[in-house]
Amino acid sequence: MSESIESPVEITLLRAMNPFSPGAGRQPAALVGRQRELEQMDLLLARTKAKRTSQGIIYRGLRGVGKTVLLIRLQEMARNMHMPTVRIEATGNEIDDYVDLFQELAKVSKDVHDSKFRLQVPKIFSDVRSMSINILGNGITIARDNGAKTEETYNSNAYQLELLIEGLARAAQESDLGLFVFVDEFQEMSPGLMGTLITLQHRMGQENLPFYIIGAGLPDLPRALTKCRSYAERLFEYREVGRVSYEDAEQGFQSTVEKGGRRFTDEALARLVKDSQGYPYFIQAYGEAAWNKSAVSPIPLEAVEEGEADARASLDEGLYASRWQRATPAGRTYLAAMASLIDEMDGIDNCGTGEVAEAMKRDSRGLSKIQGKLIELGLIYSPERGKIAFTVPGMASFIHRMDPSLEQVYDKQI
């Protein structure tokens, strides 16, 4: 049986030592199940050092599978090789995303040891600004958008970005380096900027320059990229990031608690793997709760069982409730109808749009706008024509379990 913890000081100390870290993009104590992706990055970096170019890489998957964690780790690998890197999270606001890109590019040499590259960066920025002023007349002042966007602004931003990327990629090549741009939530990016980046990946590849976009997003990201530029399907290596195996989930739990000088019993470990379903975010949530419920080692099954309610509450708040709040009552009615048709425990993780319309007693054509906006908000996606699924694993179970209100205040209209 697990030992009772009653002292507030003991509880505080125990939780302070907890090695699990649920949260968006927070690096886990043990990254498991992603060896193939790490080896792929190792190969890309080795080819770059050998002056051999490759395709960019796109990672797609549901929320909670660790795409952001992976992207951060891959950038860290590139930085450790002293490569120039940039990382942004796309927001959908074109001007803001351009600003973030330019600000990151301005810091691109901070992890680079090569003095030749570092000396060239300020000159590249100076030359780009000079060329832009000469060609565009009014220059290319970049500011966050507080009003109407003009075609001239878009063109100026795209032109400056193209000049910077080409200049930095050529400088990187001269120093046996590569320029790596990491883009999270890539599906959120506006078509204009997305198209510019895809075009740059294409053109830099044609010129054999070491420029790589490493992107991550929801399962339908490849479709968004090819819709933006039809040739995108040939520019990237596409990888699906999903659940980790039973063995990797076991390792994730056990390796993490071992860093804190503890272990799980076999029974506790089996229950945790079942609870987590192999989703990295769930591993962190259930592991954290189990750790907090026991002061003994090995941590027993009873502690896992006692912590399950806390883990579910954490997931409800961190993954599900906030997404439910983004939809209007009409959108929530649609989500609830989807949930009534999905049973993830039986392996049913999607449903037909016609089935949803039938469940709502509506004509499917009249629901297309709601469906489209829910996809735009990143709450659902279409795994294939005529099918839809939740972007967050366990969303259907949350709706079944909590029966959330259709009328509560929502964050964003659809």
Side-chain angles (χ1 to χ4, degrees):
M1 296 292 290
S2 60
E3 181 177 313
S4 174
I5 302 175
E6 298 180 359
S7 164
V9 174
E10 288 180 321
I11 292 173
T12 299
L13 288 174
L14 180 74
R15 294 183 175 179
M17 296 297 292
N18 198 319
F20 291 95
S21 55
R26 297 178 65 185
Q27 290 293 305
L31 180 63
V32 297
R34 303 296 179 229
Q35 190 59 35
R36 183 184 176 195
E37 287 74 22
L38 300 182
E39 290 173 355
Q40 181 185 27
M41 190 66 185
D42 268 333
L43 177 60
L44 180 55
L45 291 169
R47 285 183 58 81
T48 300
K49 293 296 290 184
K51 290 186 177 294
R52 298 288 187 272
T53 57
S54 299
Q55 295 173 301
I57 310 172
I58 297 297
Y59 297 102
R60 61 187 180 92
L62 298 175
R63 300 199 184 279
V65 297
K67 300 186 301 298
T68 300
V69 165
L70 176 62
L71 214 60
I72 293 171
R73 184 64 60 91
L74 298 180
Q75 184 187 24
E76 183 180 292
M77 291 172 65
R79 282 176 166 174
N80 288 341
M81 293 285 288
H82 309 299
M83 298 284 181
T85 72
V86 169
R87 179 166 58 87
I88 68 163
E89 179 179 322
T91 66
N93 182 307
E94 182 153 328
I95 298 298
D96 282 356
D97 287 347
Y98 265 116
V99 170
D100 289 342
L101 257 176
F102 287 130
Q103 289 178 341
E104 287 296 304
L105 284 168
K107 301 180 293 184
V108 74
S109 64
K110 66 185 181 70
D111 294 307
V112 180
H113 288 184
D114 186 89
S115 57
K116 182 179 179 182
F117 178 84
R118 293 177 66 89
L119 287 172
Q120 287 192 71
V121 172
K123 184 177 185 302
I124 291 168
F125 273 82
S126 176
D127 289 347
V128 167
R129 180 170 178 79
S130 176
M131 288 179 65
S132 299
I133 290 174
N134 290 339
I135 293 175
L136 299 173
N138 295 323
I140 36 109
T141 301
I142 307 301
R144 294 200 181 271
D145 177 51
N146 293 315
K149 308 177 188 68
T150 66
E151 190 65 29
E152 181 181 354
T153 302
Y154 287 149
N155 290 340
S156 299
N157 291 346
Y159 179 67
Q160 185 188 36
L161 183 62
E162 290 171 10
L163 292 175
L164 282 174
I165 293 296
E166 181 173 358
L168 292 169
R170 291 191 184 281
Q173 185 181 54
E174 291 175 11
S175 297
D176 298 341
L177 302 172
L179 176 60
F180 294 82
V181 174
F182 296 85
V183 184
D184 201 6
E185 299 291 350
F186 206 172
Q187 78 285 338
E188 296 286 345
M189 187 170 282
S190 68
L193 178 52
M194 181 183 286
T196 297
L197 286 176
I198 294 172
T199 299
L200 280 168
Q201 181 71 82
H202 184 42
R203 188 158 64 83
M204 296 301 100
Q206 289 177 322
E207 297 183 25
N208 205 35
L209 291 174
F211 169 68
Y212 306 104
I213 296 172
I214 313 294
L218 293 176
D220 54 358
L221 173 57
R223 187 181 305 171
L225 295 174
T226 54
K227 181 180 179 181
C228 189
R229 294 289 187 274
S230 60
Y231 52 77
E233 62 184 8
R234 304 190 301 275
L235 299 182
F236 302 101
E237 186 171 348
Y238 292 92
R239 291 290 183 89
E240 183 174 2
V241 180
R243 292 188 280 186
V244 301
S245 69
Y246 187 100
E247 293 75 18
D248 286 332
E250 276 191 334
Q251 183 186 350
F253 282 112
Q254 203 70 284
S255 297
T256 300
V257 292
E258 284 175 352
K259 293 181 184 296
R262 305 173 77 184
R263 287 186 62 81
F264 288 112
T265 66
D266 291 343
E267 295 80 6
L269 194 57
R271 180 63 171 257
L272 284 167
V273 172
K274 180 181 179 182
D275 285 341
S276 73
Q277 304 171 58
Y279 290 110
Y281 191 98
F282 293 9
I283 289 174
Q284 299 301 312
Y286 281 99
E288 178 186 54
W291 172 284
N292 288 340
K293 292 298 182 179
S294 174
V296 300
S297 183
I299 300 171
L301 174 62
E302 291 86 352
V304 175
E305 293 173 335
E306 290 170 18
E308 285 172 339
D310 289 348
R312 282 193 294 270
S314 173
L315 291 170
D316 286 351
E317 185 64 28
L319 277 180
Y320 306 124
S322 59
R323 286 172 172 78
W324 181 262
Q325 290 169 4
R326 295 179 190 177
T328 61
R332 292 170 187 167
T333 300
Y334 193 96
L335 297 177
M338 283 181 60
S340 71
L341 299 165
I342 290 175
D343 189 340
E344 293 167 314
M345 297 304 292
D346 283 344
I348 303 172
D349 59 4
N350 65 71
C351 58
T353 55
E355 294 177 295
V356 176
E358 186 177 341
M360 295 177 66
K361 296 181 173 54
R362 295 274 303 275
D363 186 292
S364 59
R365 290 171 295 183
L367 295 173
S368 60
K369 183 177 180 181
I370 294 175
Q371 177 189 321
K373 289 297 184 179
L374 289 171
I375 290 175
E376 184 181 319
L377 287 172
L379 301 177
I380 64 175
Y381 74 102
S382 176
E384 59 182 275
R385 186 175 180 83
K387 296 285 186 179
I388 47 173
F390 290 111
T391 59
V392 185
M395 187 70 180
S397 299
F398 164 76
I399 295 172
H400 290 315
R401 186 178 70 253
M402 301 299 292
D403 191 22
S405 170
L406 300 176
E407 303 298 332
Q408 67 187 65
V409 175
Y410 58 90
D411 295 335
K412 184 175 181 179
Q413 291 189 2
I414 67 168

